[in-house]
């Protein structure tokens, strides 16, 4: 793990660029490099796209969501004359990139004669324009301007240094932006997501959370404020009987003050996906009811439907009835044919009759039951919670991260941002940096270099042969795509497969 970027590179005497000094650019920080490599999203020609700097090739790239960048979607950084970044609306930004007119062949034929918005100078043309309201777009534009200014003032040697030491820059950026305590916490989150028991052991040993109360409070803090815990793994953990005391502390930390029971149930199940059989849900609702009744009793006002619970058992009975209603209106109906689903749905009268069998009107008036029925009918209490924050915002120190082209059989090639951490590879699409598009557990996998493994080398061209899009080299009508691969593509390619497929 490099702690700083201080590598001195001496170019060989035979290099064509031997006269160009190669060293780290003084005016470009690791955070700027990371921002440019990760890129930003916006619209190019009215199509949702991503723009980024492909430092390994020293090119600026742009392309539609998840698609690999083709030759016409790239321009060498050394050919970029300037970049403008300006407001194009109240909350929107526009980035325009220019190159010398002598390089106009970089554009596809249909664009070479197109008109521009007048921002061009006599000796240049606009290569691409990307616009959007995402705040990262403005930050990307400013970072690109900074990189170009460094190139022009310090020489192109800085770009080559970044190219050779890209991942040291990424490590430096990650290390500088997080404290040691935050890095330990991130490792605990990722360890929990792989194996909850091992993750909790890490929490107790490295974070000093020795008691069940401390562990429960930490899980609640991460789930409700920082994000990152896998909701399914957290639900599986709470389904075990030996975690009951941890869950008590966890649910006590959830803020139910001032909200009615439907809102409280939404808050509860927004943190984890309950696993196990019906008795697990019952145990969870029992502990939830105790925590909710305690906070409800201390609250002076409650928004939503009114109630006057006598004890936690009354809360429990209503909570169970609401989960049954939610299941009837939403969950069960998804598993049945349309006509059968309509017949199975519980009516308001049926729900009120069921609720009245466990609580009287003195505790819960009929208008509250009607209000709860309507609220759940309109919006399901989801037992499939979504992550709360972007993975990139978590205090995670990956082993490595960067752009990959994922080849899935002979029909799919998808560009994705890959993050390798704790023996798992997380793949993110352009549509979201919150929820991974896929996560590959590498514990039972092996990774083979395409260049060094005969089987992987044989699979590589056949997988590309019938692909709908081609990302690793230019296409031609009469030549196979495998023949057109640049040599470095095979050098960099790798295959992931299970032990059993060796």
């Amino acid at each position: 793990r490099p702690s700083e970027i201080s590598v001195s590179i001496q170019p060989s005497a035979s290099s064509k660029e031997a006269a160009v000094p190669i060293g780290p650019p003084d005016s470009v920080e690791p955070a700027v490099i990371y921002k440019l490599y990760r890129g930003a999203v916006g619209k190019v020609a009215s199509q949702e796209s991503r723009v980024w700097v492909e430092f390994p090739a020293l090119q600026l790239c742009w392309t539609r969501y998840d698609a690999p960048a083709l030759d016409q979607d790239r321009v060498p950084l050394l050919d970029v004359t300037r970049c403008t970044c300006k407001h194009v609306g109240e909350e929107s930004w526009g980035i325009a990139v220019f190159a010398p007119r002598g390089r106009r062949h970089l554009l596809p034929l249909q664009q070479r004669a197109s008109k521009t918005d007048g921002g061009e100078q006599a000796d240049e043309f606009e290569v691409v324009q990307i616009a959007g309201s995402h705040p990262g777009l403005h930050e990307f534009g400013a970072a690109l301007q900074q990189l170009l200014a460094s190139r022009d003032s310090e020489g192109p040697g800085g770009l080559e240094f970044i190219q050779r030491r890209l991942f040291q820059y990424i490590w430096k950026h990650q290390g500088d932006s997080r404290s040691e305590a935050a890095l330990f916490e991130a490792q605990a989150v990722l360890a929990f997501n792989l194996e909850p028991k091992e993750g909790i052991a890490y929490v107790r040993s490295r974070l000093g959370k020795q008691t069940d109360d401390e562990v429960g409070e930490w899980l609640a803090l991460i789930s409700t404020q920082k994000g990152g815990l896998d909701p399914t793994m957290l639900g599986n953990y709470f389904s075990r009987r030996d975690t009951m005391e941890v869950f008590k502390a966890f649910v006590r930390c959830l803020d139910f003050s001032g909200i009615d029971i439907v809102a409280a149930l939404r808050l509860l199940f927004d943190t984890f996906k309950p696993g196990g059989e019906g008795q697990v849900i019952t145990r969870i609702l029992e502990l939830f009811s105790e925590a909710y009744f305690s906070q409800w009793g201390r609250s002076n006002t409650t928004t939503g439907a009114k109630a006057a619970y006598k004890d936690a058992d009354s809360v429990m009975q209503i909570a169970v009835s609401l989960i049954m209603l939610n299941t009837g209106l939403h969950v069960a109906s998804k598993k049945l044919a349309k006509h059968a689903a309509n017949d199975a749905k519980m009516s308001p009268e049926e729900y009120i009759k069921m609720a009245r069998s466990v609580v009287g009107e003195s505790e819960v008036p009929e208008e509250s039951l009607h209000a709860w029925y309507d609220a759940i009918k309109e919006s399901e209490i989801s037992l499939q919670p979504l992550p709360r924050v972007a993975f990139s915002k978590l205090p995670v120190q990956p082993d490595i991260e960067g752009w990959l082209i994922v080849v899935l059989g002979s029909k799919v090639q998808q560009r994705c941002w890959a993050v390798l951490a704790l023996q798992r590879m997380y793949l993110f699409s352009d549509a979201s940096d919150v929820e991974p598009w896929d996560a590959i557990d590498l514990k039972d996998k092996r990774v083979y270099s395409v260049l060094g493994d005969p089987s992987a080398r044989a699979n590589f061209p056949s997988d590309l042969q019938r692909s709908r899009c081609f990302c690793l080299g230019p296409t031609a009508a009469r030549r196979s795509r495998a023949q057109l691969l640049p040599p470095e593509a095979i050098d960099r390619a790798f295959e992931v497969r299970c032990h059993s497929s060796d």
Side-chain angles (χ1 to χ4, degrees):
R1 172 181 173 180
S3 59
E4 60 180 353
I5 298 176
S6 57
V7 180
S8 176
I9 302 176
Q10 297 297 327
S12 63
S14 60
S15 171
K16 293 181 180 180
E17 299 176 348
V20 179
I22 300 175
D26 295 331
S27 58
V28 182
E29 296 296 323
V32 173
I33 303 302
Y34 183 87
K35 194 182 304 294
L36 290 169
Y37 186 45
R38 186 67 176 94
V41 294
K43 287 188 176 182
V44 175
S46 301
Q47 189 171 51
E48 296 290 347
S49 305
R50 178 174 288 273
V51 59
W52 74 99
V53 173
E54 184 68 18
F55 281 108
L58 291 183
Q59 295 175 331
L60 177 70
C61 301
W62 61 92
T63 185
R64 58 183 173 80
Y65 271 12
D66 302 332
L70 302 178
D71 286 352
Q72 63 263 31
D73 304 325
R74 302 165 178 264
V75 60
L77 285 176
L78 292 178
D79 286 339
V80 175
T81 55
R82 64 188 176 99
C83 163
T84 63
C85 184
K86 58 185 179 181
H87 273 295
V88 293
E90 281 191 17
E91 299 180 355
S92 296
W93 290 87
I95 296 175
V97 177
F98 300 86
R101 286 197 175 275
R103 304 292 290 170
R104 199 170 182 85
H105 65 275
L106 293 167
L107 287 178
L109 287 174
Q110 65 270 24
Q111 295 183 26
R112 293 179 191 174
S114 62
K115 296 181 180 180
T116 69
D117 61 0
E120 296 181 359
Q121 296 178 0
D123 57 348
E124 66 181 9
F125 73 100
E126 184 180 283
V127 178
V128 67
Q129 185 176 106
I130 183 167
S133 58
H134 194 283
L137 188 60
H138 174 231
E139 296 172 0
F140 178 87
L144 182 58
Q145 289 176 330
Q146 186 176 343
L147 180 71
L148 296 177
S150 170
R151 178 203 64 184
D152 295 340
S153 62
E154 301 178 49
L159 292 179
E160 187 171 340
F161 182 88
I162 297 171
Q163 180 186 37
R164 296 185 184 186
R165 295 290 182 264
L166 173 62
F167 293 105
Q168 284 183 289
Y169 273 95
I170 292 176
W171 268 99
K172 185 72 164 62
H173 164 68
Q174 297 284 10
D176 287 349
S177 60
R178 297 172 174 90
S179 66
E180 185 178 31
L183 293 175
F184 280 140
E185 186 169 76
Q187 295 302 314
V189 169
L190 293 174
F192 184 93
N193 288 345
L194 286 174
E195 173 50 58
K197 187 176 180 180
E198 295 178 6
I200 294 302
Y202 191 98
V203 169
R204 294 182 188 276
S205 64
R206 302 304 295 268
L207 301 185
K209 311 297 183 183
Q210 298 295 332
T211 67
D212 287 344
D213 281 357
E214 290 174 334
V215 171
E217 290 166 2
W218 181 82
L219 290 173
L221 174 67
I222 298 297
S223 296
T224 59
Q225 297 184 30
K226 297 186 177 181
L229 288 177
D230 185 318
T232 299
M233 302 302 284
L234 186 57
N236 291 341
Y237 177 71
F238 286 148
S239 68
R240 294 164 34 188
R241 283 192 170 275
D242 61 348
T243 64
M244 187 177 298
E245 293 303 317
V246 174
F247 182 73
K248 284 182 179 179
F250 174 89
V251 75
R252 283 199 302 267
C253 290
L254 301 183
D255 186 7
F256 300 128
S257 58
I259 60 176
D260 69 13
I261 191 169
V262 171
L265 287 170
R266 294 191 196 280
L267 175 59
L268 174 69
F269 292 117
D270 192 37
T271 58
F272 68 94
K273 176 185 176 181
E277 302 175 352
Q279 59 184 357
V280 173
I281 300 292
T282 300
R283 187 166 66 247
I284 287 173
L285 291 179
E286 286 176 354
L287 298 176
F288 157 77
S289 300
E290 293 174 5
Y292 179 76
F293 180 74
S294 175
Q295 294 188 36
W296 173 83
R298 297 194 302 266
S299 179
N300 295 324
T301 59
T302 300
T303 59
K306 305 301 180 183
Y309 304 110
K310 292 190 301 185
D311 50 35
D313 185 62
S314 296
V315 176
M316 169 68 178
Q317 298 300 330
I318 288 296
V320 170
S321 75
L322 291 171
I323 293 300
M324 292 176 64
L325 172 64
N326 186 72
T327 301
L329 291 179
H330 300 285
V331 181
S333 62
K334 296 175 184 177
K335 301 178 180 180
L336 300 173
K338 187 174 182 180
H339 66 279
N342 290 332
D343 294 339
K345 286 185 177 180
M346 190 181 298
S347 68
E349 293 74 22
E350 289 172 328
Y351 170 67
I352 291 173
K353 181 179 179 181
M354 178 180 67
R356 279 287 169 258
S357 67
V358 292
V359 294
E361 190 165 359
S362 60
E363 290 188 88
V364 181
E366 188 164 324
E367 56 266 28
S368 294
L369 295 177
H370 273 290
W372 291 337
Y373 181 94
D374 292 341
I376 293 178
K377 182 179 180 181
E378 181 179 350
S379 178
E380 176 185 0
I381 297 176
S382 177
L383 303 185
Q384 304 282 345
L386 296 174
R388 292 179 167 273
V389 297
F391 192 96
S392 59
K393 300 293 185 182
L394 297 175
V396 174
Q397 181 78 7
D399 297 316
I400 199 169
E401 58 183 313
W403 290 110
L404 287 180
I405 304 297
V406 178
V407 180
L408 302 174
S410 62
K411 294 186 177 180
V412 178
Q413 293 182 13
Q414 178 166 331
R415 174 182 48 80
C416 59
W417 183 257
V419 179
L420 184 65
L422 282 184
Q423 300 184 62
R424 180 173 286 192
M425 184 162 61
Y426 299 88
L427 304 176
F428 293 87
S429 73
D430 287 327
S432 172
D433 61 352
V434 173
E435 177 101 18
W437 164 62
D438 198 2
I440 302 172
D441 190 342
L442 299 176
K443 282 185 176 180
D444 61 343
K445 307 293 190 301
R446 287 185 180 176
V447 178
Y448 299 87
S449 164
V450 167
L451 191 63
D453 182 75
S455 176
R457 190 179 181 89
N459 292 338
F460 190 54
S462 62
D463 282 346
L464 295 176
Q465 184 64 37
R466 297 182 298 277
S467 297
R468 293 179 181 175
C469 65
F470 188 62
C471 55
L472 297 172
T475 60
R478 297 184 179 180
R479 296 177 62 191
S480 75
R481 291 169 177 181
Q483 289 177 310
L484 289 166
L485 290 175
E488 65 271 17
I490 296 180
D491 292 346
R492 296 195 305 265
F494 63 90
E495 181 177 277
V496 180
R497 60 179 186 253
C498 296
H499 287 337
S500 58
S501 64
D502 288 354

